[in-house]
Amino acid sequence: MVTMREVAGLAGVSITTVSHVINETRPVAPDTRDRVLKAIEETGYTGDAIARSLVTGGTKSLGLAVSLVSHPYFAELIAAIESEATRAGYTLVLINTRGDAESEQAAVRMLRSRRVDGVLLTPTSGSAALPELRRLDVPTVLVDRLTVAQDTDQVGPENVQATSTLVRHLADLGHRRIGLVSGTPGLATTDERVLGYRLGLGRAGLAWDEALVRPSLEPLLGQVSGVVVNDHHVLVDVLRTARAHGLRIGSDLALVTYDEVEWAELVEPPLTTMAQPVEEIGRTAVRLLLARIEEPDRAPETIRLPPTLRHRRSCGCHE
């Protein structure tokens, strides 16, 4: 491994000068700084981020703890977060929480051992990591799955009004028995979309029936004429079930779904979706975290970004 001494020798300066250039701890003459940077480039010197953090108080890295499920939403979210972090001069350390509380806590502790400057967290149901991060005053931003508490910075999609809009759309088309194919129980996003479904029913003058909220389409068959689907993973199962029963989406069964998928326009009929502003969520999360690192005592913010209705034909409309 290339050492700082070798960089200093090639640039014709002291080790202290190299340190000041790398850590920006003291102004260095422009020509001297240029020689040091050229020597770093020629040698491929990377330094020791952990040792450097003892001098600067930070590693210029951010941690992201998220469940690496097979879901295009999270792939796009991670890409947006990494892009914004890089633009701000930070590296991103990504760790898989596997979607359960125990793995999440281990993941967050691993990030802390890497001395990241702050943590972006998509919390699991019953998260124990979040209270620990709060207790240790680790700069933290919750992403996607938010809490009702207002004591932590958080950014995610607006779920309640958006889901209500999907219900109202089906009601406006004349549907009176509208089901919800719900997602993973216990997740904040699932709970909020169930609330939005119930709100939409009320606004349409339709009665709430708990029996019409089910984790799969099968028990709703013959009970409803339209369904709101909670997310991408549930959607795939709904489409499989409809095909297995010979149901034609858009005619036999009206369908709208929260979550845009890249193949929404490739199926027949194309899917009416509520598309989340994924890139904006990711970039906003990084900005919130950097603001928290810069100003630890600032008031926590909760930012809800509205999704966009993409109207196609699975709802029974002809666009």
Side-chain angles (χ1 to χ4, degrees):
M1 182 180 293
V2 178
T3 66
M4 192 180 292
R5 183 179 298 279
E6 290 174 89
V7 173
L10 184 60
V13 299
S14 68
I15 294 175
T16 302
T17 299
V18 174
S19 176
H20 286 317
V21 171
I22 293 172
N23 299 313
E24 299 181 350
T25 48
R26 200 178 71 184
V28 176
D31 60 331
T32 302
R33 183 174 184 276
D34 288 344
R35 292 206 312 276
V36 171
L37 293 177
K38 183 179 180 181
I40 289 172
E41 184 178 352
E42 289 181 7
T43 59
Y45 176 75
T46 58
D48 185 335
I50 302 302
R52 188 158 60 249
S53 73
L54 300 176
V55 177
T56 64
T59 58
K60 296 292 284 185
S61 64
L62 305 176
L64 173 59
V66 63
S67 177
L68 298 180
V69 295
S70 176
H71 193 319
Y73 170 85
F74 284 107
E76 189 178 347
L77 180 67
I78 292 167
I81 288 172
E82 183 176 33
S83 175
E84 186 66 17
T86 301
R87 190 192 65 78
Y90 284 75
T91 57
L92 186 68
V93 181
L94 174 64
I95 296 189
N96 186 6
T97 66
R98 297 182 176 83
D100 68 81
E102 187 175 340
S103 296
E104 176 191 74
Q105 191 165 37
V108 167
R109 287 176 176 172
M110 178 64 73
L111 290 173
R112 286 179 44 232
S113 74
R114 296 285 297 270
R115 300 177 66 91
V116 295
D117 296 343
V119 172
L120 298 158
L121 174 66
T122 299
T124 60
S125 177
S127 172
L130 181 55
E132 183 174 302
L133 290 167
R134 287 174 178 149
R135 186 174 67 252
L136 297 172
D137 289 328
V138 177
T140 302
V141 172
L142 302 186
V143 188
D144 183 64
R145 300 169 187 163
L146 312 189
T147 72
V148 294
Q150 301 295 308
D151 56 357
T152 305
D153 290 313
Q154 48 187 358
V155 58
E158 196 292 311
N159 290 304
V160 177
Q161 299 299 331
T163 307
S164 173
T165 296
L166 290 173
V167 175
R168 287 294 304 274
H169 181 62
L170 292 180
D172 288 344
L173 293 174
H175 295 281
R176 290 296 172 264
R177 296 283 288 177
I178 301 170
L180 174 68
V181 185
S182 58
T184 305
L187 291 181
T189 47
T190 300
D191 293 343
E192 289 172 1
R193 290 169 196 172
V194 171
L195 178 60
Y197 164 76
R198 191 165 185 169
L199 177 65
L201 291 176
R203 288 175 171 172
L206 302 177
W208 156 258
D209 183 350
E210 189 175 356
L212 299 186
V213 179
R214 288 290 178 263
S216 66
L217 177 62
E218 195 83 36
L220 294 174
L221 295 177
Q223 305 297 314
V224 300
S225 60
V227 291
V228 177
V229 181
N230 187 78
D231 61 28
H232 164 78
H233 273 124
V234 184
L235 173 63
V236 173
D237 181 65
V238 167
L239 294 178
R240 284 199 187 108
T241 301
R243 175 175 290 183
H245 286 267
L247 295 175
R248 295 168 299 170
I249 298 297
S251 52
D252 298 328
L253 181 70
L255 182 151
V256 294
T257 181
Y258 197 111
D259 256 357
E260 173 73 347
V261 289
E262 61 184 3
W263 41 267
E265 294 184 299
L266 302 179
V267 295
E268 183 57 40
L271 303 176
T272 294
T273 67
M274 192 64 77
Q276 302 185 56
V278 185
E279 182 170 348
E280 190 178 355
I281 290 171
R283 293 187 179 279
T284 301
V286 173
R287 292 171 193 147
L288 267 181
L289 185 55
L290 296 180
R292 173 63 55 196
I293 293 168
E294 182 70 23
E295 191 180 348
D297 296 328
R298 62 192 294 274
E301 288 187 65
T302 294
I303 299 176
R304 296 276 190 175
L305 298 171
T308 302
L309 179 65
R310 294 189 177 168
H311 186 207
R312 302 184 180 104
R313 291 189 284 112
S314 66
C315 53
C317 295
H318 297 290
E319 298 185 280

